[in-house]
Amino acid sequence: MKRLLLIISIFIAALLSACNGGSSSTPPVSLQSITVTSNDNVTVLGVRQAFVATAHYSDGSDAIVTNSAIWSSSNPEIATVSTIATKTGVKQVNALNAGIATPVAVGQTNISASLNGVSGTALLVVSPAVLVSINPVTAPSLSTPKGVTQQFTAI
């Protein structure tokens, strides 16, 4: 009987040792990369463009991190980008505005999102605004006598 208990004890000890003492040891999940995307990477002066930051983790999972990333523009003279997080952790703007690029001048700039030392970038091209149409002209009166001036307003 003692011999059987000894064999069972050795078997259980070997089994627990092979299983790392009964606890599983999984590696910690780490941030691998960030992808920065937008519906359209081309905009015109006066039209803001929203960007989204997606984090990709070592376990294969993804997460939207737009509101927790630190956003920046490589050329703020072309476009600025709003952020809510800073390196010091101070919130700067409303979370609904994070990742919004505001064109300032015609040109190109890289819009970047960084989180825990990992960054992703997307190109933003700012084009000049082009006049597409003018709405019908309005005037207080539809007829004007000869020799009388009339003020018109184009909208």
Side-chain angles (χ1 to χ4, degrees):
M1 186 67 168
K2 284 184 178 182
R3 188 176 213 166
L4 181 59
L5 286 175
L6 179 62
I7 292 172
I8 291 172
S9 296
I10 292 173
F11 177 75
I12 291 173
L15 186 61
L16 287 175
S17 175
C19 293
N20 232 359
S23 66
S24 63
S25 176
T26 58
V29 176
S30 62
L31 177 60
Q32 299 294 301
S33 64
I34 292 178
T35 303
V36 176
T37 57
S38 178
N39 288 337
D40 190 356
N41 287 34
V42 178
T43 192
V44 296
L45 283 173
V47 178
R48 293 179 179 181
Q49 188 62 45
F51 287 84
V52 175
T54 305
H56 307 284
Y57 293 94
S58 58
D59 66 352
S61 65
D62 298 329
I64 303 294
V65 294
T66 303
N67 293 338
S68 32
I70 297 172
W71 290 91
S72 62
S73 170
S74 65
N75 191 347
E77 292 178 1
I78 300 299
T80 60
V81 63
S82 57
T83 188
I84 64 166
T86 65
K87 291 178 182 175
T88 59
V90 176
K91 304 269 185 210
Q92 290 184 330
V93 298
N94 183 312
L96 298 175
N97 294 332
I100 305 292
T102 302
V104 178
V106 173
Q108 297 181 358
T109 185
N110 288 311
I111 303 298
S112 300
S114 299
L115 183 65
N116 298 331
V118 179
S119 296
T121 301
L123 179 68
L124 175 65
V125 177
V126 179
S127 300
V130 178
L131 179 62
V132 177
S133 68
I134 296 178
N135 290 336
V137 175
T138 62
S141 172
L142 296 178
S143 64
T144 305
K146 184 176 181 180
V148 177
T149 60
Q150 177 68 50
Q151 176 72 42
F152 291 91
T153 305
I155 302 173

